[in-house]
Every structure is written in C-alpha cells, then in structure tokens.
Amino acid sequence: MSEIQNISRRSFIKNIGLASGGLILACNYTLFSKDIASGIATEFNPNLFVQLNPDGSLIIICSRSEMGNGVRTSLTSIVADEMEANWNRVSVKQATGDAKYGDQNTDGSRSVTDFYETMRTMGAMARMMLITAAAKKWQVPENECTAQNHFIIHSSGKKIGYGELVDVVTTLPVPTNITYKNPKDFKYIGKYLKSIDVKDFANGSAVFGIDKRLPNMKVVAIARCPVTFGTVKSFDKTAALKIKGVEDVIEIPRIEKPFGPLGGVAVIASNTWAAFKGREALEIKWNCGKNEGYDSEKYMIELTERVHKAGKVEKETGDVNKAFGEAAKVIESTFQLPHLAHAPMEVPNAVAWVQGDRCEVWAPTQSPQSAQEEVVAYLGTTPDKVTINVTFLGGGFGRKSKPDYIVEAAMVSKAIKAPVQVVWSREDDIKHGYYHTVSAQYMKASLDAQGNVTGWLHRSAFPSIMSTFKPGTDYPAGWEASSAAVPFDIKNFKIESGQAPAMVRIGWMRSVINILHGFSTNVFADELAHAAKQDPLEFRLKLIGSDRIEDTKDPIKYNTARLKNVLKLAAKNANYNKPLPKGHAYGLAVHYSFYSYVASVVEVSMIDDKVKVHNVYTVIDCGTAVNKNTITAQLEGAAVFGMSLAYYGKITAKDGAIEQNSYSDYRMIRMNETPKVHVEIVESTEKPTGVGEPGVPVIAPAIINAVFKLTGKRYYNLPLSDYDLV
Amino acid sequence: MTTLLINKKKYSIDVDPEMPLLWAIRDSIGLTGTKFGCGIGACGACKVLVDNVATYSCLTPVSTVIGKNITTIEGTSENLQLLQKSWEEFNVPQCGYCQPGQLITATSLLNSNKNPSDTDIDDAMSGNICRCGTYQRIKSAIQHTVELKKHR
Ligand code: FES
Ligand code: FES
C-alpha cells in the first residue's frame, strides 16, 4: 500500500479545511520517510495535502511555520515543479497545530531536509495521474502525452488544462511506479523564486499574530517578576484601574513546566496602550526566590574558574597530556561569551478564546503542537477541542517555539470568559526570555616543531538547554558537548565539560550551541596558525586534513572534503591572496552545523579604532538547493545576525534581574553597519540540509580573526562594544 | 472625540489625547499594517508619514496630529507604490514584520531627495531595525526605484 493516497472522495477532507471537489492527494510523510516496505499497513493518517481544483488552482497545505525562512515557498515549489504546475496557480494554506502533521516544530533548520523527497513524490504522482486522466479522456496511449506547465499535451498537438482533468483524475488510483523529472528539467527547484507572500508583506496586509482581532477582544499586559521564577507576594491595583481603558487586574499563577507561563499580574484593557499604562501603574511586591542572587558578572568568573580545572570528559582520543608534554609550543586561551536574547521584531503575543472546554488560538508560533499540548493540559481538555491557528511570525529565531505566551492568553481568557490578546512589550521580551546560554571555554593545544597540531583540549562550561526541561541539570547534554568535536585531523583530542547551573530560562537561539563552539574553535585555530607562523587558510585546510567521512551516528555523514571546499571557495570569491587596500584585512571561519557546510571570509578595516566590516563572502554547501533566493537571503540575514551578536550581543543579570531593556541597550546591526554579503551556493545533488541557522556561527570569529590581523590583538570575549571597538 | 485623517479618510475615535498614534491606528482604527516593535523610538517598525515625513507613531500623541495628513502602509503615495514594486522585485522581506516601517521610511526619503547617495540612504534608513537582516536588499530596492524614476 502506498502511503500517498487519492482522498478526493473521502469525508475527512473537511477537517483539514479543504473544500471538496478537487483532486486531493494526501500522504503520511512520517511513515513515508521511514522504511514503509517493512511496515504493516497501519491506518492511513495523512499529514501532507495537495489539492487541484476544477478551476486549475492548486493548494498546498504547509504544516511548517513561516518566519522569514521562506518555507511556504520552498516546500510548495517542490510539489509544483514535479507536478509541472504553473507557479502562478499555486497557493498555500497554513496548517493548524495537529498531531496528524507529524512534528511541526519549525526549528533545527530541517523543514526542507525532512520533506524534500515526499513533496517530490506527491508532485510526481499528481503529474502521472493527470497524464493517465488525459489519455483516458482522449482514448490515446499514455506515452503519447506529456505534462507541461499546467497542461497535458498530446503528440498531435491538442492540449487540456489540469483543472479540466479533475473529474477524471479524482477517480484514479495513485501510481505505484513513480517516474521523477530529470533534475535538469527543474523549473523551480534550484532556481531563484520570490516568496509566495512577498506582495502581502510589502503592502502590509500579511496578518501576524499581533494583528489578529476578534470582536470584543481584550488586550492584556502582564507584569512578571524581574527575577526568573519569582512570584507575586501582593499587589495594589487601585491606580491601574483608574486608567482609561483598563477594565480589570488579575493575578495569574506560574505553571511549573518548561513552557509554562512565569505568572504575574495581568492587566486587562480595551487597547494595548491602556494595558501597558495600567501595568506601569501597578504596585507589586515580589517573592524573588532562589535566583535573586544571580549576578552574571560574578557567574562568569565562576564559570571561568571551572574551565581552568579538569572537567567531565566527553570525548577523548589519544593522550593530550602526553602531546602537551612533548610539544614545541603550547597555546592556551580562554573565551567568555554572554547570554543573548532572540529579540524578534514581533514580540511574543497570542490571541486565545476559551469557551468551556474549548479553546481557539491565533498565534505566531514555531511549534503549534507544543502550544496545543500545553493549552490542552492547562484546560484539562482533549486535543480535538483546542485549535491553534498559525499566523505569520515576525521573526522567531527559536523564541517562538516556546509557547509560554500562548498559555498566558488561554489562562486570562479562561479567567475573564472573553477573547484576549496577550501582548509582550519589548522590555518583557528582553527581560523574560529563554536566553541563549552564557559560557566560558578554555582551549589548549600543542604544536610540534613543524607547526602541526599534535594535541587539542576544549573545555566548556555553560548552562544547558536541558536545565529548562529538567530543572537542576547542570552539565551539557551529549549533543551540546559534542558540537565542540570539530573534524580536525588531530591525534590527541579531548573534550571536557564543566558544571554550570542555570539561573534564567535557557533556550535555543538561531544556531544554538554552534554560536559558542563555532566561535572558540575558529578563533583558536587562527591563533594556532599565527603561532605556527602559517597562513590561516593553508593552516586550516591542513588541520581539517585528508578527505574523509567522519564516523558519526547521524543519518547524514560529515564529509571533510565538503568542509574544505566551502572554505576554498569563500577564499577564492574574496580574492584572498590578492592584496587589500591599506588598513584592510581578511578573517575567515568555517563551520559545520545542521548538516551543512559554511565558510565566511570577511573583509574588515579599522577606522578611528572602530571595526568596519566591508564585505562578507559566504559559501554554503547545503546539498540540493531548493530555493536559491531564500538560501541567499538566509545567509545575508545570518551575516547581520552574526554581526549583531559580535558587536552588541550581551544580556546581563544583576540581583537576578536582566539589566537590558529594549533595542536601545540591546542593540542590533543597522543599515549603516551592514557589509555587502556575497553568497555562493555549492551545486550539489546530495540530500538537502539546513539553511536558516548554519550561516550564523562563522561571522563573529571571522571578524575577530580579521581584527587580530589588523591590530595584533586577539579578542576572546564578545561583544566588541565592551572594548569600544564598534 | 478625536478626528484623524488617515490615508485620505476621516476617522473619529474616542481615545485619550495622549495615546500614541500607533495604538490609535492599530487598536482603535484597526489598520494593522503599522507595527509595534519597541514603543520607544528605537526600531522604526511603527513609522507612518505625517504630512509626507516619516514619523515614529509610537512616540506621537494623537493630539499632535489632528488635522494632519497621515499615510500608513495601507495608503497610497506614488513613491510608496513604486517602492513596493521594487520590494517585490528584489524579494526584500524575510519575515516581513519590519517592512511596512522600512517602506514608509524609504518613501519619506524619496519624497525629500530625488537622488539619494549611498550615505543618504544609510542615514535615512538607520532608524529602522530589521532583525532578519534584509538591509542589503532594502538598499538595492531603493536604488532601483531611484533609477526607475530617473528614466521615466
Ligand atoms: S515601535 Fe516605534 S520605534 Fe519601535
Ligand atoms: S524582515 Fe523580519 S524583521 Fe525585517
């Protein structure tokens, strides 16, 4: 039994919001992507849908969230290409949160990786069925018919539009022997497609979560304890209630779960401004709790002490101590990186309407299923009674995969029996996030007389993301620790972790653990090149060593040839060996993450002792490139994101409270600081791999390496604003 | 009652005169293309044209714009429409959230400067944050629009 079925005549299509009357192909990609040959026929539970209507319009349901990642365009274009559909006839319907879609969490840069083959197959099946339908209609052999741009064409020259074939095609079984298009005939895959939503973004009509309106909807601002997990002791609402538009003030409890709301005092108002003003007028006394002592400056000292002592061994080959003992030269360095906040342009917000045991939500969420799960648990109801509508996301970067703000909306709606919209202010977003971790890292390496690296020790200490899920966790998870295992050809190699308890909520942020490990390994490798008196590029290529496939447990293997290739290409694009204008220098970095290979060479100058990045040459090998326009945009954006954290990214805590407030003191790169970003995408027929995140980790170290060349000074800590360099 | 003139239409609303224009537009009038990003004049997501000049609506009390010509992203203005076309052409938006503010700011620039230099563009646009990092494309789209206008 094929896991793709023609469900045009099945009754449950209504449940997915598709009208009947067209050809609907459905597929269970979860099963499909595994080995279905060995599987027993299970109940058909489809989670991907493609609908061709009699008027020729083609609707594809997208179960992943659109947050600038271009997923609505890239996934759709795969089906349309194989189907020989006309791109202008395609539209996208956003799926609600539902277990039937498989894992919907839009993170880990894996949407295209996960769906590519299935989407192609559905498109190919639809095309083949349309050919069969036309052949039937015309009473001609199928092999005399071809599909082209929304038409089936017969060798005699007559043609028929896809829409006109719907009546016949809905009666056909799905084909079993699929023939795919030759990739050289692709029209959309591997090309530069514009976003299917670009018009709506440019005219302001795209509806983000914060734009959702319901009749009689109340707007809610919540005051949360400045210290993570602190609770309300008492509050006085008198002044708040006097503000025009403020209707009520209630306390909401903390829910002690990874994605549970922090709790606090909720101001319910007729408009957002009144809600914010009302909140300002509250007088609240807090029980700050055990995180009150959190002082991130002192904590950094502790973390640093910890990485200067032996830690827990995570990986070891050879004997590093022996290598250090026999070395011609030993280099040691310590790196310190602060907490970061996601700060997506659209603050966390959600609309919820609880009616009895039912709830409907509209929210910008990367993970509608976690949202559903949390709301179901909170209401003590069942998933069929909770609908999560996914709006456009004004940026996510990992923040919006945590649905705490959605549960807040459900809590208040339930309490006041009305539809509500919870809106975070920017200050809320900066002060109550799930922060990128804070870290200290110690690195030590030995060089022999020829400048070869003979030993490498990498010790990191940082609060783990797992501390959010399992309170008390104070060592990194295996995947966090092992991301330090760069594929360098070094005989004696050791990775260690130090203890690090969490005092704020730790979460994943665009490229996650690769931010710190990509930084330290790239800066340290550059330092070693200098110590070995070798060019950083040549040195790095040698360090990566021979062409080989690294033996990992991952389904997609790590290929050192591809890693070296992106680095060489980036150098070539930058004209690395040609002299630069006086006062300019190159810095480079290369990193593997989310199964993709990325290198960046940056051209930097120092003007009046300030860093200026002029050009960024980025090369990515992400296997088969689906939408090159999106991929290029993601890497342009990653350069800016990486620069923001290199220049300004720093969240600090004092007495348990986050000290930064808004974009004024948690700054972002702006247009006048933006370099020209030149992107090359390696041509490849390998499986498509991550795009959204892997461009980030290389930027900061490449800048630091260039600054070293210019100034002879190595900066081990970020951000550069701490050194007055930006 | 306060009467505002937005996109050539009159709206009468009952709000506190101190309410920032941003919230009057979004919550009382219901035009949601204008965005909230920070509320303190640090990001530009909220910009609208007040008598053709880009203005932070989050810092502008409604009482100060009575009788003035307000244009939001939903409105029409020659430069805005040309820029929107270029935005599509260069596929500028990623998440799209900051783009109404970016477009309004670019419109204001072209309203006052027919031939902006690179630095003029940087200066005009640097009040607007794009967390997705679309600056390079924004700049290309503005430059393209300037060229288009020259050859018309
Ligand atoms: S919302 Fe007005 S500048 Fe940010
Ligand atoms: S496009 Fe996302 S913030 Fe600018």
Side-chain angles (χ1 to χ4, degrees):
Chain A
M1 184 185 87
S2 164
E3 281 305 323
I4 295 182
Q5 294 189 14
N6 176 351
I7 61 160
S8 312
R9 307 207 156 168
R10 301 267 292 264
S11 59
F12 63 71
I13 56 172
K14 278 207 282 318
N15 302 341
I16 51 169
L18 290 175
S20 55
L23 164 71
I24 302 173
L25 288 185
C27 164
N28 185 334
Y29 99 91
T30 330
L31 291 179
F32 190 86
S33 55
K34 303 220 172 86
D35 183 12
I36 55 160
S38 62
I40 317 143
T42 47
E43 196 193 331
F44 183 58
N45 229 337
N47 48 28
L48 283 180
F49 303 92
V50 176
Q51 178 179 38
L52 177 66
N53 291 311
D55 64 0
S57 61
L58 181 67
I59 300 172
I60 293 164
I61 295 214
C62 181
S63 63
R64 292 293 176 120
S65 301
E66 180 61 64
M67 49 188 177
N69 47 347
V71 68
R72 283 162 56 96
T73 309
S74 42
L75 289 183
T76 309
S77 72
I78 301 167
V79 178
D81 200 330
E82 267 296 346
M83 192 173 162
E84 267 297 319
N86 178 345
W87 185 242
N88 296 326
R89 306 306 309 276
V90 178
S91 61
V92 181
K93 220 178 132 58
Q94 193 68 39
T96 58
D98 196 316
K100 72 176 174 234
Y101 292 113
D103 180 3
Q104 286 178 271
N105 192 3
T106 313
D107 74 352
S109 297
R110 60 199 159 85
S111 297
V112 169
T113 310
D114 286 359
F115 285 94
Y116 182 68
E117 275 158 40
T118 316
M119 289 300 219
R120 265 190 88 180
T121 305
M122 290 180 90
M125 282 182 167
R127 168 176 41 77
M128 292 172 72
M129 290 167 76
L130 286 159
I131 289 178
T132 307
K136 261 198 171 165
K137 248 194 179 162
W138 289 329
Q139 299 281 318
V140 298
E142 285 184 23
N143 62 12
E144 292 176 6
C145 303
T146 50
Q148 213 183 346
N149 204 26
H150 239 71
F151 286 94
I152 302 298
I153 300 170
H154 182 245
S155 50
S156 66
K158 66 180 164 191
K159 61 186 210 170
I160 183 164
Y162 278 6
E164 291 168 71
L165 291 166
V166 164
D167 55 339
V168 179
V169 87
T170 45
T171 66
L172 299 177
V174 296
T176 41
N177 268 333
I178 320 285
T179 45
Y180 293 94
K181 273 172 86 167
N182 185 330
K184 77 172 171 28
D185 298 326
F186 281 156
K187 287 182 176 151
Y188 313 131
I189 300 172
K191 303 290 186 294
Y192 288 80
L193 281 188
K194 287 173 192 158
S195 161
I196 202 160
D197 301 304
V198 68
K199 243 202 179 69
D200 294 347
F201 290 143
N203 66 23
S205 68
V207 175
F208 296 85
I210 204 167
D211 301 329
K212 181 67 194 172
R213 297 287 180 268
L214 290 177
N216 301 318
M217 184 182 88
K218 306 296 171 200
V219 185
V220 178
I222 300 170
R224 303 168 189 83
C225 181
V227 178
T228 307
F229 303 144
T231 52
V232 180
K233 194 187 282 173
S234 64
F235 67 96
D236 180 353
K237 59 186 178 184
T238 326
L241 285 171
K242 285 194 187 126
I243 287 166
K244 181 173 169 166
V246 172
E247 297 178 4
D248 203 355
V249 176
I250 62 170
E251 185 180 338
I252 58 167
R254 177 184 168 211
I255 297 182
E256 286 188 40
K257 291 175 77 180
F259 299 147
L262 291 168
V265 181
V267 176
I268 296 137
S270 60
N271 63 75
T272 320
W273 189 61
F276 286 169
K277 289 274 285 182
R279 184 176 60 174
E280 265 169 46
L282 288 174
E283 281 186 42
I284 309 175
K285 293 207 170 68
W286 303 101
N287 286 316
C288 289
K290 69 172 174 36
N291 292 323
E292 194 177 8
Y294 187 33
D295 179 321
S296 54
E297 209 173 302
K298 287 201 188 117
Y299 187 74
M300 184 60 92
I301 297 169
E302 281 168 42
L303 279 186
T304 308
E305 281 167 3
R306 243 162 252 162
V307 296
H308 287 160
K309 290 189 208 116
K312 176 176 153 219
V313 178
E314 303 278 359
K315 186 179 167 166
E316 185 171 21
T317 47
D319 183 343
V320 286
N321 286 331
K322 189 157 169 272
F324 295 157
E326 292 166 358
K329 216 178 213 175
V330 173
I331 316 287
E332 297 170 86
S333 290
T334 302
F335 301 81
Q336 299 176 328
L337 300 179
H339 283 298
L340 300 170
H342 309 78
M345 286 300 290
E346 181 198 25
V347 287
N349 70 86
V351 170
W353 193 1
V354 176
Q355 290 171 284
D357 59 353
R358 300 188 160 268
C359 178
E360 187 158 9
V361 164
W362 292 261
T365 173
Q366 289 174 248
S367 186
Q369 288 163 343
S370 330
Q372 188 188 42
E373 206 176 291
E374 296 299 331
V375 174
V376 165
Y378 172 67
L379 293 174
T381 185
T382 46
D384 55 307
K385 301 216 167 81
V386 173
T387 305
I388 311 288
N389 300 288
V390 181
T391 63
F392 282 111
L393 281 69
F397 313 116
R399 174 61 185 93
K400 290 176 183 162
S401 50
K402 294 103 178 167
D404 54 327
Y405 53 94
I406 295 172
V407 185
E408 286 177 343
M411 288 170 105
V412 180
S413 175
K414 184 179 172 189
I416 67 164
K417 297 193 170 54
V420 305
Q421 179 173 51
V422 164
V423 180
W424 288 41
S425 66
R426 177 59 58 198
E427 290 78 4
D428 295 337
D429 173 54
I430 300 292
K431 289 180 180 297
H432 303 290
Y434 286 81
Y435 300 98
H436 168 76
T437 198
V438 54
S439 63
Q441 301 177 75
Y442 167 75
M443 302 189 75
K444 182 172 179 180
S446 49
L447 297 172
D448 65 15
Q450 287 73 48
N452 299 308
V453 180
T454 54
W456 175 285
L457 167 69
H458 189 164
R459 199 181 286 144
S460 347
F462 55 87
S464 167
I465 284 175
M466 297 319 291
S467 62
T468 298
F469 295 88
K470 234 181 124 223
T473 304
D474 55 3
Y475 274 96
W479 60 271
E480 288 174 309
S482 67
S483 93
V486 283
F488 291 164
D489 205 357
I490 303 171
K491 274 213 178 57
N492 306 295
F493 190 89
K494 194 172 184 182
I495 296 174
E496 293 180 9
S497 308
Q499 198 182 18
M503 252 90 79
V504 290
R505 300 189 293 183
I506 305 292
W508 48 96
M509 189 182 103
R510 193 177 188 179
S511 87
V512 199
I513 196 69
N514 297 285
I515 292 174
L516 49 129
H517 287 148
F519 181 74
S520 57
T521 52
N522 275 292
V523 172
F524 195 56
D526 205 79
E527 188 173 10
L528 296 182
H530 181 73
K533 301 197 170 46
Q534 292 177 26
D535 176 77
L537 174 62
E538 291 312 315
F539 183 84
R540 190 67 66 88
L541 292 169
K542 226 169 53 188
L543 200 52
I544 300 168
S546 59
D547 292 0
R548 62 195 188 281
I549 311 285
E550 286 277 306
D551 188 23
T552 60
K553 283 187 223 92
D554 296 327
I556 303 173
K557 300 293 175 201
Y558 195 151
N559 183 337
T560 56
R562 292 172 74 185
L563 190 68
K564 286 186 290 179
N565 184 48
V566 291
L567 182 54
K568 283 187 216 158
L569 284 173
K572 180 167 161 256
N573 295 347
N575 262 324
Y576 184 80
N577 289 321
K578 290 237 177 77
L580 281 169
K582 200 172 162 335
H584 288 226
Y586 286 128
L588 61 84
V590 60
H591 193 71
Y592 171 83
S593 57
F594 306 93
Y595 304 123
S596 288
Y597 307 81
V598 176
S600 285
V601 172
V602 300
E603 180 191 339
V604 175
S605 74
M606 299 286 288
I607 301 169
D608 300 331
D609 293 328
K610 303 278 182 210
V611 171
K612 168 96 189 148
V613 181
H614 299 267
N615 287 290
V616 175
Y617 301 88
T618 295
V619 178
I620 185 168
D621 178 349
C622 54
T624 301
V626 172
N627 185 354
K628 289 185 174 166
N629 200 330
T630 304
I631 297 171
T632 306
Q634 284 297 307
L635 291 164
E636 289 164 0
V640 174
F641 199 93
M643 280 179 67
S644 284
L645 73 89
Y647 276 39
Y648 306 117
K650 186 176 189 176
I651 292 287
T652 55
K654 185 128 195 101
D655 301 327
I658 300 301
E659 294 183 288
Q660 290 68 28
N661 297 285
S662 185
Y663 288 132
S664 48
D665 52 3
Y666 185 67
R667 287 176 59 186
M668 302 290 141
I669 291 291
R670 293 170 186 262
M671 186 185 276
N672 58 336
E673 299 161 312
T674 300
K676 283 208 174 64
V677 186
H678 315 261
V679 175
E680 178 177 348
I681 304 161
V682 173
E683 291 296 335
S684 168
T685 52
E686 298 283 338
K687 198 175 161 61
T689 51
V691 168
E693 301 176 82
V696 173
V698 285
I699 300 299
I703 294 171
I704 295 294
N705 293 342
V707 169
F708 172 78
K709 245 198 208 162
L710 288 168
T711 63
K713 209 168 150 25
R714 183 80 62 185
Y715 294 90
Y716 299 98
N717 310 337
L718 293 178
L720 291 169
S721 54
D722 276 0
Y723 302 101
D724 225 10
L725 284 172
V726 289
Chain B
M1 277 300 193
T2 307
T3 303
L4 296 177
L5 183 60
I6 301 178
N7 304 331
K8 306 193 173 86
K9 235 179 109 176
K10 277 192 182 148
Y11 295 89
S12 288
I13 49 173
D14 174 24
V15 295
D16 186 326
E18 284 307 305
M19 181 190 270
L21 179 60
L22 170 67
W23 299 116
I25 291 173
R26 287 184 53 84
D27 289 355
S28 307
I29 291 163
L31 293 171
T32 54
T34 304
K35 301 302 190 217
F36 166 65
C38 68
I40 60 163
C43 78
C46 64
K47 282 191 191 171
V48 298
L49 297 173
V50 176
D51 290 340
N52 272 327
V53 178
T55 306
Y56 294 100
S57 69
C58 71
L59 299 179
T60 307
V62 286
S63 59
T64 64
V65 290
I66 295 166
K68 296 199 174 156
N69 238 314
I70 298 162
T71 308
T72 68
I73 189 72
E74 291 92 349
T76 49
S77 120
E78 194 200 336
N79 282 330
L80 176 60
Q81 282 160 318
L82 286 173
L83 285 160
Q84 282 168 323
K85 279 224 177 66
S86 303
W87 247 241
E88 288 176 36
E89 174 97 13
F90 285 79
N91 197 34
V92 171
Q94 287 188 29
C95 81
Y97 192 80
C98 72
Q99 300 300 339
Q102 307 277 5
L103 277 152
I104 289 290
T105 312
T107 303
S108 175
L109 169 67
L110 298 199
N111 286 348
S112 65
N113 186 342
K114 280 201 174 56
N115 195 12
S117 66
D118 223 59
T119 322
D120 292 340
I121 297 177
D122 279 351
D123 288 349
M125 300 304 297
S126 288
N128 287 67
I129 292 175
C130 173
R131 182 61 162 148
C132 297
T134 63
Y135 302 117
Q136 176 164 334
R137 293 190 188 209
I138 291 173
K139 191 182 264 186
S140 305
I142 295 173
Q143 286 164 337
H144 177 75
T145 312
V146 170
E147 286 309 308
L148 275 185
K149 287 189 72 176
K150 276 190 203 156
H151 297 110
R152 277 198 326 167

